[in-house]
Amino acid sequence: MSPVQNHRASFGRQLAEQIRITGRGLRREALALVVVLLVLTAIGLFEAIRAGAGLNADPELLLAALPLALLLPFAIWRAEPAFADAFVWCMPVSRQRVAATKVLAGAFWLLVLVLLVFAWIAALALGSGGSMGETEQRLVGDASTSLARLELRRWSPPLWLWFVPVFSALIIYLLASAALLGLRHPLRILGVVLFGGTMLVAIIFAASPGGAVGQSLMRWQDLAANGSLGYNLAFTAGVSSLSGEWLRPDGQTVSVWRDLPSLRAWATAMVAWFAAAVILLLAAIARHRERTG
Amino acid sequence: MAKAIEISALTKRFGHDLALAEVDFTVPEGAVCLLAGTNGAGKTTLLRILINLEQRTTGACEVLGLDPACSGAAVRAQVGFVPETTDWGYGWLRVGEMLAHVASYYPSWDLQYALELSRTLDVGTDRRMKALSKGQRRCVQIVAALAHRPQLLLLDEPTDGLDPLIRDRTLHLFAEHVADTGCTAIVSTHLVPEVAQLADHVAILRSGSMLYQGPIERMLGELHQLELDAPSGWSAPSKLRPAVLRHDRAIGRSPTLLVTGHLDFIQPLITNSGATIRHAGRPDLSDSVVALLQSESKS
C-alpha cells in the first residue's frame, strides 16, 4: 500500500482559521472591554467638561493593556488546555504548528486590542479638545550632585514612545504564553516560585539586615529593574525609572529626570527581552512536539 | 491483501503500569474490526497510539503505510476519529461553526455529505455546543469524523450516549459509509451485538494483551456451542477441559459448553464421560467474545 497523500491545510489557512476561532472565543472578553471603555469614556468626558479643558493623551496610558496581555493566553487556551486531551491535538496538524498558530492568532488579537485602545485614547483626547502627548519642561541631570546644575529641557513624547506599550504588551503576551505552554501547572509553579523567592529574601534580610547577601540581592534587583537591559527600560522606555523626586532647599519637591527616554536604549532592552521571550516560547512549544516513540 | 494497520510487539507503559504488552495487531485494508476487551484492557490507548496521541514505548506500528510516531499529522489527515470523550470544549461555538472549524483542517471535507450526515443524526447546526447533550455531542463528533471521507475510521465507543433511534441510524450510517468508501474501520466497544453485523474482523484485548485477532468467520468457525444431556454433577473430562471456553451450569437445565476445536475430537470425549450432545451449534459473536475473555481470566 502506498503511503497516504498529504491532504492537509496550508499554514496560512490554519493561521487564518485560528485567528477566526480565537477571535470568536474572545467575544465575551471583548464585550467586557467595550463596557469598561464606555464607562471610562463617560468619566473622562465628565472630567473634561468639569475642568473646562481637553484631555491630553499620554503613551503611558497604553500601558494599561499590559495586564490584558498577561491574561490573554489564559483566555485563548481555556477551551484547549495545553497539557490535556484537547480537541485541537487530534487535528491533522503537528502539535508544534498548532500551538504556534494559536499563539500567533492571540498575538494578532492583542495587537488589534492595543490599536483599538490607542484609537480610543486618541478619540477621547482629540474629541475633548486635548492633544496627543503633552509638551512640558523637564529638569534633566544628576540631581545627586547639585540641583543647580540641572538642565531644563522642553519635552514632548516622540512618536516612537507610542509604540513602546505595543511591544511591551507583545513581550508580556509571549512570556505568558510560554509559561502556559511550557508548564503543566503554570499558576501553581509560578506562585510557588514567587512565594518561595519572597520568603527567602525576607529570611535573608531578617537574618542579616544590611549583610553582604542582602546587599548583593538589592544590586541584582536594581539591575533587573533599572539596568540597561532592565524591565523598566524594556517595558516603559524608562518612563518610570528615569525620573525621581528630589527635595529643593526651599522644601519643595521637584521631579528630576536622570535622562530622557532614548529610542536607542529602549530598542536595545526591548530587543533583548523580545528575543528572550521568543526563545522561551519556542522552548515551551518544543514540549508539544509530535511525540515520537 | 494490503494492510491498513500493522502493529508488532507494541508495548506501552504509563510509568510502571503496563497498558499494552507486546501486542501484534493487523487489520487488512477495507476491513471493519471490532476491538473488544475488558475495562482498562488498553483499547483506547491502542487507538490513540495509532494517531500518535500517545507514544508507544517499544514496538513497531504502521498506519496506512506510515509510522504515526514520525508522521502523526499525515496519519491524522486520513483518519476519522471519534474519541472516547465527548467533551470538546468550544462551548461557545454553534454546531455549524464547530463543524466549519473542523472542516478548515481537511481540504477533502465534503460539505454536502456533512449536511446529509447532520440531517440524518438530527444535529441542529444552530445550537451551541455547550447546550448539547452527551449524545448530541457524540453525533457532532461522528459527523466530523466521517465528513472528510477518511481512509481509516477509529471509533472509540461511538454509540456511547446515543438514544436507541440515533444509535440505529448511526450504525446504518457506518455501514453505508464503509460500503461507499471502502474505508477501514476499527470500532472499540463493549456493546458487541451492536456491531456484530458491521464487523468482519475481531480483536480481543485483555489486560494489555491481544487474546485473539482475525476474521470473525474464522473465530466462529473454530467455536462450538454444545447443549448436553448429562447426569447430575457432570463435569468435563480432563482431556476436554483445555478446549472448554465456557461451561454454563444451571439447576434444572442441561449444561452448555462453548468449546474450541474439531467436533470429531470433542464428541467422543463427551460421550465417554457419560454425556451426550443434544444440540451442536455456532455461538454468536457476543458469546464468543465473552467466552474468550472468561477463558483467559481462568487461565
Side-chain angles (χ1 to χ4, degrees), chain A residues 30-111:
Chain A
L31 203 65
L33 183 68
V34 166
V35 170
V36 170
L37 289 183
L38 284 175
V39 171
L40 290 176
T41 304
I43 293 170
L45 289 176
F46 176 76
E47 283 297 317
I49 291 166
R50 198 168 63 92
L55 298 167
N56 288 321
D58 193 286
E60 286 175 54
L61 286 173
L62 267 178
L63 293 175
L66 298 194
L68 299 179
L70 186 69
L71 296 175
L72 186 60
F74 293 90
I76 288 172
W77 287 92
R78 68 164 180 251
E80 292 169 319
F83 287 92
D85 273 346
F87 158 76
V88 75
W89 306 127
C90 300
M91 292 292 99
V93 185
S94 80
R95 295 169 71 92
Q96 281 175 295
R97 179 186 276 198
V98 81
T101 51
K102 224 168 164 55
V103 172
L104 285 175
F108 171 84
W109 287 114
L110 176 68
L111 292 178

Side-chain angles (χ1 to χ4, degrees), chain A:
Chain A
M1 183 180 184
S2 60
V4 293
Q5 298 294 307
N6 193 359
H7 294 303
R8 283 176 288 161
S10 66
F11 180 79
R13 190 171 174 189
Q14 286 165 28
L15 180 58
E17 177 59 18
Q18 278 301 336
I19 288 173
R20 190 186 74 80
I21 206 80
T22 306
R24 183 75 178 73
L26 293 171
R27 282 214 312 203
R28 202 172 47 183
E29 286 80 0
L31 203 65
L33 183 68
V34 166
V35 170
V36 170
L37 289 183
L38 284 175
V39 171
L40 290 176
T41 304
I43 293 170
L45 289 176
F46 176 76
E47 283 297 317
I49 291 166
R50 198 168 63 92
L55 298 167
N56 288 321
D58 193 286
E60 286 175 54
L61 286 173
L62 267 178
L63 293 175
L66 298 194
L68 299 179
L70 186 69
L71 296 175
L72 186 60
F74 293 90
I76 288 172
W77 287 92
R78 68 164 180 251
E80 292 169 319
F83 287 92
D85 273 346
F87 158 76
V88 75
W89 306 127
C90 300
M91 292 292 99
V93 185
S94 80
R95 295 169 71 92
Q96 281 175 295
R97 179 186 276 198
V98 81
T101 51
K102 224 168 164 55
V103 172
L104 285 175
F108 171 84
W109 287 114
L110 176 68
L111 292 178
V112 168
L113 168 85
V114 175
L115 282 175
L116 282 176
V117 174
F118 172 76
W120 171 74
I121 290 171
L124 199 59
L126 299 176
S128 66
S131 65
M132 296 293 287
E134 196 176 3
T135 302
E136 59 185 20
Q137 301 289 330
R138 286 184 172 177
L139 282 169
V140 183
D142 185 2
S144 61
T145 50
S146 165
L147 288 178
R149 293 172 68 181
L150 296 177
E151 190 183 341
L152 194 64
R153 286 199 218 160
R154 193 165 181 270
W155 161 266
S156 53
L159 183 62
W160 64 266
L161 209 54
W162 288 97
F163 288 95
V164 171
V166 178
F167 284 93
S168 306
L170 203 54
I171 291 168
I172 285 176
Y173 168 76
L174 293 179
L175 287 171
S177 297
L180 204 67
L181 286 170
L183 303 173
R184 196 173 285 271
H185 306 289
L187 292 178
R188 209 180 299 170
I189 292 171
L190 293 177
V192 166
V193 168
L194 208 64
F195 180 75
T198 308
M199 290 303 290
L200 189 69
V201 170
I203 290 167
I204 287 170
F205 279 101
S208 168
V213 180
Q215 291 298 320
S216 181
L217 276 175
M218 292 288 280
R219 270 199 305 278
W220 278 102
Q221 192 273 333
D222 187 53
L223 201 65
N226 304 318
S228 59
L229 296 178
Y231 57 79
N232 276 331
L233 195 53
F235 294 149
T236 68
V239 169
S240 58
S241 61
L242 287 172
S243 65
E245 299 289 318
W246 289 85
L247 195 63
R248 288 200 315 201
D250 60 6
Q252 284 192 324
T253 55
V254 288
S255 185
V256 178
W257 288 74
R258 192 154 40 88
D259 202 355
L260 290 175
S262 133
L263 172 61
R264 189 188 178 87
W266 166 69
T268 307
M270 185 275 290
V271 167
W273 275 83
F274 192 84
V278 169
I279 289 167
L280 282 173
L281 181 65
L282 290 176
I285 287 177
R287 285 200 72 181
H288 299 277
R289 68 186 174 276
E290 199 71 17
R291 299 166 185 178
T292 53

